[in-house]
Amino acid sequence: MRRKTVLRVGLSAALLVSTVAAALTTQASAADAPAATSSSATGALGSSALITAMERDLGLSNSQATARLKAESTARAVERAARRAAGGSYGGSWFEADSGRLTVAIADSAQKRAVEATGARVALVEHTERQLDAAMARIDTLDAPRSVSGWHVDPKSNSVVVSVVGARQNDNDVRTFLGRARQAGPVIVQETRQAPRTLAAGTVGGDPYYTGNVRCSIGFSVYGGFVTAGHCGQPGAGVSGWDHSYIGNFQGSSFPDNDYAWVNVGSGWWTVPVVLGWGTVSDQLVRGSAEAPVGASICRSGSTSHWHCGTVLAKNETVNYSQGAVHEMTKTSVCAEPGDSGGSFISGDQAQGVTSGGWGNCSSGGETWYQPVNEILNRYGLTLHTA
């Protein structure tokens, strides 16, 4: 990124990162470079504008949104301790928005007291997470028809949830797949409205990054570049910013099976630990990548639909795109549209993942999946740029 004018696209290429602080330059307009994040209202948890977005998208009051961010921050720490306390009996966890507490499933009552001592509630279940993951892995070996949109381990139901497009549940190929899936372990079927699709877009106006004739969005700054979605470009492909000036190249990319990539940054562009608010909210500082539990609030930034919020619905879901299955994805209730691919998912001030695909839009609603950012960092040996 160059001056603030380029900042917006520099690591924002639609999404994320490049707006740094007004001190970088005084020549850029407010439209080119929104003000840097202010956390005076809510401390390190997020800005007052983040609270406003949660009010809009989650139907919360100001005090409810503030309390929820605080409770979710606590739940992230409790989850780590509770997992250790549960040991081999751990069956997964989820955040309960109504109570503001984390519930941890365990398959052995002998660990109940130790888990409760961490501050978590306990639910006794039949299957451990390891058993459910094994069932999930067996289902991953099956050839799924297009009408099966995906599957994931659901700790609440203590089963693997298979999502099927509602109008196609009785199709022969769907019924055959479900029969084989049930042989793999505990399975329940969930109806979904549409099949997911990736969210790249052809070249249009806006604040994107481009590779060829595809527009996508930046996810998060890492030292040396940024992470984004794998379906946006192949290794070696050149990347340009909103002004079509050269940024760098795809250094690594995987899709399908995974949906992640990283791009090096040079030629006068640089990285900043910021998620772009697009004027809807203040730009958000990124302070880490602690994983949010199921049930937590989460927001997404992208070059098409900009800033929207929702909740984490499921983790470790296999999403069945037309191009092939992508594994270990996180499912959310946040909407997205073509061009948002690769953009950042953030919970409070913690990076969560890069936008992969979904169904629906931000007018009628829908669901979106992201590839967890920690997996990308580990895969390529990258370090998240944090404030």
Side-chain angles (χ1 to χ4, degrees), residues 234-252:
Q234 298 296 314
V239 172
S240 59
W242 63 277
D243 60 352
H244 295 285
S245 66
Y246 175 76
I247 295 177
N249 296 81
F250 279 85
Q251 299 297 299

PDB file of all heavy atoms in Angstrom, residues 234-252:
ATOM      1  N   GLN A 234      -4.257 -19.054  -8.458  1.00  0.00           N
ATOM      2  CA  GLN A 234      -3.290 -20.141  -8.397  1.00  0.00           C
ATOM      3  C   GLN A 234      -1.909 -19.608  -8.030  1.00  0.00           C
ATOM      4  O   GLN A 234      -1.621 -18.430  -8.233  1.00  0.00           O
ATOM      5  CB  GLN A 234      -3.221 -20.852  -9.757  1.00  0.00           C
ATOM      6  CG  GLN A 234      -4.522 -21.502 -10.180  1.00  0.00           C
ATOM      7  CD  GLN A 234      -4.921 -22.625  -9.244  1.00  0.00           C
ATOM      8  OE1 GLN A 234      -4.099 -23.462  -8.875  1.00  0.00           O
ATOM      9  NE2 GLN A 234      -6.184 -22.635  -8.841  1.00  0.00           N
ATOM     10  N   PRO A 235      -1.036 -20.471  -7.485  1.00  0.00           N
ATOM     11  CA  PRO A 235       0.323 -20.022  -7.171  1.00  0.00           C
ATOM     12  C   PRO A 235       0.998 -19.367  -8.373  1.00  0.00           C
ATOM     13  O   PRO A 235       0.922 -19.867  -9.493  1.00  0.00           O
ATOM     14  CB  PRO A 235       1.036 -21.323  -6.776  1.00  0.00           C
ATOM     15  CG  PRO A 235      -0.057 -22.193  -6.250  1.00  0.00           C
ATOM     16  CD  PRO A 235      -1.253 -21.880  -7.113  1.00  0.00           C
ATOM     17  N   GLY A 236       1.625 -18.232  -8.131  1.00  0.00           N
ATOM     18  CA  GLY A 236       2.301 -17.494  -9.189  1.00  0.00           C
ATOM     19  C   GLY A 236       1.458 -16.425  -9.843  1.00  0.00           C
ATOM     20  O   GLY A 236       1.993 -15.527 -10.510  1.00  0.00           O
ATOM     21  N   ALA A 237       0.133 -16.494  -9.690  1.00  0.00           N
ATOM     22  CA  ALA A 237      -0.742 -15.506 -10.331  1.00  0.00           C
ATOM     23  C   ALA A 237      -0.488 -14.120  -9.748  1.00  0.00           C
ATOM     24  O   ALA A 237      -0.352 -13.948  -8.542  1.00  0.00           O
ATOM     25  CB  ALA A 237      -2.208 -15.899 -10.144  1.00  0.00           C
ATOM     26  N   GLY A 238      -0.443 -13.107 -10.618  1.00  0.00           N
ATOM     27  CA  GLY A 238      -0.222 -11.739 -10.184  1.00  0.00           C
ATOM     28  C   GLY A 238      -1.473 -11.134  -9.578  1.00  0.00           C
ATOM     29  O   GLY A 238      -2.601 -11.484  -9.933  1.00  0.00           O
ATOM     30  N   VAL A 239      -1.275 -10.221  -8.638  1.00  0.00           N
ATOM     31  CA  VAL A 239      -2.377  -9.566  -7.935  1.00  0.00           C
ATOM     32  C   VAL A 239      -2.213  -8.061  -8.058  1.00  0.00           C
ATOM     33  O   VAL A 239      -1.120  -7.521  -7.881  1.00  0.00           O
ATOM     34  CB  VAL A 239      -2.392  -9.973  -6.450  1.00  0.00           C
ATOM     35  CG1 VAL A 239      -3.421  -9.150  -5.673  1.00  0.00           C
ATOM     36  CG2 VAL A 239      -2.709 -11.453  -6.310  1.00  0.00           C
ATOM     37  N   SER A 240      -3.306  -7.371  -8.377  1.00  0.00           N
ATOM     38  CA  SER A 240      -3.287  -5.908  -8.431  1.00  0.00           C
ATOM     39  C   SER A 240      -4.358  -5.358  -7.506  1.00  0.00           C
ATOM     40  O   SER A 240      -5.320  -6.040  -7.167  1.00  0.00           O
ATOM     41  CB  SER A 240      -3.526  -5.401  -9.858  1.00  0.00           C
ATOM     42  OG  SER A 240      -4.778  -5.861 -10.350  1.00  0.00           O
ATOM     43  N   GLY A 241      -4.183  -4.115  -7.098  1.00  0.00           N
ATOM     44  CA  GLY A 241      -5.099  -3.470  -6.169  1.00  0.00           C
ATOM     45  C   GLY A 241      -6.245  -2.765  -6.856  1.00  0.00           C
ATOM     46  O   GLY A 241      -6.438  -2.877  -8.062  1.00  0.00           O
ATOM     47  N   TRP A 242      -6.990  -1.983  -6.081  1.00  0.00           N
ATOM     48  CA  TRP A 242      -8.165  -1.303  -6.610  1.00  0.00           C
ATOM     49  C   TRP A 242      -7.798  -0.347  -7.745  1.00  0.00           C
ATOM     50  O   TRP A 242      -8.592  -0.104  -8.644  1.00  0.00           O
ATOM     51  CB  TRP A 242      -8.869  -0.534  -5.503  1.00  0.00           C
ATOM     52  CG  TRP A 242      -8.037   0.548  -4.926  1.00  0.00           C
ATOM     53  CD1 TRP A 242      -7.094   0.429  -3.960  1.00  0.00           C
ATOM     54  CD2 TRP A 242      -8.058   1.912  -5.308  1.00  0.00           C
ATOM     55  NE1 TRP A 242      -6.518   1.638  -3.702  1.00  0.00           N
ATOM     56  CE2 TRP A 242      -7.094   2.579  -4.514  1.00  0.00           C
ATOM     57  CE3 TRP A 242      -8.786   2.646  -6.227  1.00  0.00           C
ATOM     58  CZ2 TRP A 242      -6.853   3.934  -4.622  1.00  0.00           C
ATOM     59  CZ3 TRP A 242      -8.550   4.005  -6.343  1.00  0.00           C
ATOM     60  CH2 TRP A 242      -7.586   4.644  -5.542  1.00  0.00           C
ATOM     61  N   ASP A 243      -6.575   0.188  -7.684  1.00  0.00           N
ATOM     62  CA  ASP A 243      -6.145   1.108  -8.741  1.00  0.00           C
ATOM     63  C   ASP A 243      -5.403   0.376  -9.851  1.00  0.00           C
ATOM     64  O   ASP A 243      -4.818   0.992 -10.733  1.00  0.00           O
ATOM     65  CB  ASP A 243      -5.246   2.192  -8.153  1.00  0.00           C
ATOM     66  CG  ASP A 243      -3.995   1.622  -7.505  1.00  0.00           C
ATOM     67  OD1 ASP A 243      -3.896   0.383  -7.379  1.00  0.00           O
ATOM     68  OD2 ASP A 243      -3.111   2.416  -7.119  1.00  0.00           O
ATOM     69  N   HIS A 244      -5.413  -0.974  -9.771  1.00  0.00           N
ATOM     70  CA  HIS A 244      -4.764  -1.841 -10.756  1.00  0.00           C
ATOM     71  C   HIS A 244      -3.232  -1.742 -10.744  1.00  0.00           C
ATOM     72  O   HIS A 244      -2.578  -2.179 -11.685  1.00  0.00           O
ATOM     73  CB  HIS A 244      -5.315  -1.591 -12.166  1.00  0.00           C
ATOM     74  CG  HIS A 244      -6.767  -1.951 -12.296  1.00  0.00           C
ATOM     75  ND1 HIS A 244      -7.209  -3.251 -12.371  1.00  0.00           N
ATOM     76  CD2 HIS A 244      -7.871  -1.175 -12.310  1.00  0.00           C
ATOM     77  CE1 HIS A 244      -8.528  -3.262 -12.440  1.00  0.00           C
ATOM     78  NE2 HIS A 244      -8.959  -2.009 -12.405  1.00  0.00           N
ATOM     79  N   SER A 245      -2.686  -1.182  -9.683  1.00  0.00           N
ATOM     80  CA  SER A 245      -1.234  -1.218  -9.530  1.00  0.00           C
ATOM     81  C   SER A 245      -0.849  -2.569  -8.921  1.00  0.00           C
ATOM     82  O   SER A 245      -1.612  -3.176  -8.165  1.00  0.00           O
ATOM     83  CB  SER A 245      -0.747  -0.073  -8.639  1.00  0.00           C
ATOM     84  OG  SER A 245      -1.219  -0.220  -7.311  1.00  0.00           O
ATOM     85  N   TYR A 246       0.336  -3.006  -9.247  1.00  0.00           N
ATOM     86  CA  TYR A 246       0.798  -4.340  -8.847  1.00  0.00           C
ATOM     87  C   TYR A 246       1.032  -4.420  -7.344  1.00  0.00           C
ATOM     88  O   TYR A 246       1.642  -3.537  -6.747  1.00  0.00           O
ATOM     89  CB  TYR A 246       2.088  -4.657  -9.598  1.00  0.00           C
ATOM     90  CG  TYR A 246       2.749  -5.958  -9.202  1.00  0.00           C
ATOM     91  CD1 TYR A 246       2.237  -7.177  -9.645  1.00  0.00           C
ATOM     92  CD2 TYR A 246       3.870  -5.957  -8.390  1.00  0.00           C
ATOM     93  CE1 TYR A 246       2.846  -8.369  -9.286  1.00  0.00           C
ATOM     94  CE2 TYR A 246       4.498  -7.144  -8.028  1.00  0.00           C
ATOM     95  CZ  TYR A 246       3.972  -8.355  -8.477  1.00  0.00           C
ATOM     96  OH  TYR A 246       4.570  -9.529  -8.113  1.00  0.00           O
ATOM     97  N   ILE A 247       0.535  -5.497  -6.710  1.00  0.00           N
ATOM     98  CA  ILE A 247       0.742  -5.734  -5.281  1.00  0.00           C
ATOM     99  C   ILE A 247       1.782  -6.818  -5.068  1.00  0.00           C
ATOM    100  O   ILE A 247       2.754  -6.659  -4.335  1.00  0.00           O
ATOM    101  CB  ILE A 247      -0.567  -6.160  -4.586  1.00  0.00           C
ATOM    102  CG1 ILE A 247      -1.612  -5.050  -4.617  1.00  0.00           C
ATOM    103  CG2 ILE A 247      -0.295  -6.572  -3.151  1.00  0.00           C
ATOM    104  CD1 ILE A 247      -2.947  -5.448  -4.019  1.00  0.00           C
ATOM    105  N   GLY A 248       1.549  -7.997  -5.673  1.00  0.00           N
ATOM    106  CA  GLY A 248       2.422  -9.145  -5.476  1.00  0.00           C
ATOM    107  C   GLY A 248       1.863 -10.350  -6.208  1.00  0.00           C
ATOM    108  O   GLY A 248       1.120 -10.205  -7.185  1.00  0.00           O
ATOM    109  N   ASN A 249       2.205 -11.537  -5.719  1.00  0.00           N
ATOM    110  CA  ASN A 249       1.768 -12.781  -6.361  1.00  0.00           C
ATOM    111  C   ASN A 249       1.263 -13.769  -5.328  1.00  0.00           C
ATOM    112  O   ASN A 249       1.655 -13.743  -4.161  1.00  0.00           O
ATOM    113  CB  ASN A 249       2.932 -13.445  -7.113  1.00  0.00           C
ATOM    114  CG  ASN A 249       3.444 -12.601  -8.246  1.00  0.00           C
ATOM    115  OD1 ASN A 249       4.218 -11.673  -8.032  1.00  0.00           O
ATOM    116  ND2 ASN A 249       3.013 -12.900  -9.456  1.00  0.00           N
ATOM    117  N   PHE A 250       0.406 -14.672  -5.784  1.00  0.00           N
ATOM    118  CA  PHE A 250       0.001 -15.791  -4.940  1.00  0.00           C
ATOM    119  C   PHE A 250       1.226 -16.668  -4.685  1.00  0.00           C
ATOM    120  O   PHE A 250       1.815 -17.224  -5.612  1.00  0.00           O
ATOM    121  CB  PHE A 250      -1.103 -16.614  -5.614  1.00  0.00           C
ATOM    122  CG  PHE A 250      -2.473 -16.033  -5.453  1.00  0.00           C
ATOM    123  CD1 PHE A 250      -2.936 -15.050  -6.323  1.00  0.00           C
ATOM    124  CD2 PHE A 250      -3.312 -16.473  -4.437  1.00  0.00           C
ATOM    125  CE1 PHE A 250      -4.197 -14.503  -6.168  1.00  0.00           C
ATOM    126  CE2 PHE A 250      -4.577 -15.935  -4.278  1.00  0.00           C
ATOM    127  CZ  PHE A 250      -5.021 -14.950  -5.143  1.00  0.00           C
ATOM    128  N   GLN A 251       1.605 -16.789  -3.428  1.00  0.00           N
ATOM    129  CA  GLN A 251       2.758 -17.597  -3.051  1.00  0.00           C
ATOM    130  C   GLN A 251       2.367 -19.042  -2.745  1.00  0.00           C
ATOM    131  O   GLN A 251       3.177 -19.956  -2.841  1.00  0.00           O
ATOM    132  CB  GLN A 251       3.433 -16.989  -1.825  1.00  0.00           C
ATOM    133  CG  GLN A 251       3.952 -15.587  -2.071  1.00  0.00           C
ATOM    134  CD  GLN A 251       5.034 -15.560  -3.133  1.00  0.00           C
ATOM    135  OE1 GLN A 251       6.084 -16.183  -2.978  1.00  0.00           O
ATOM    136  NE2 GLN A 251       4.785 -14.844  -4.218  1.00  0.00           N
ATOM    137  N   GLY A 252       1.145 -19.246  -2.340  1.00  0.00           N
ATOM    138  CA  GLY A 252       0.615 -20.580  -2.073  1.00  0.00           C
ATOM    139  C   GLY A 252      -0.893 -20.535  -2.194  1.00  0.00           C
ATOM    140  O   GLY A 252      -1.512 -19.503  -1.894  1.00  0.00           O
TER     141      GLY A 252
END
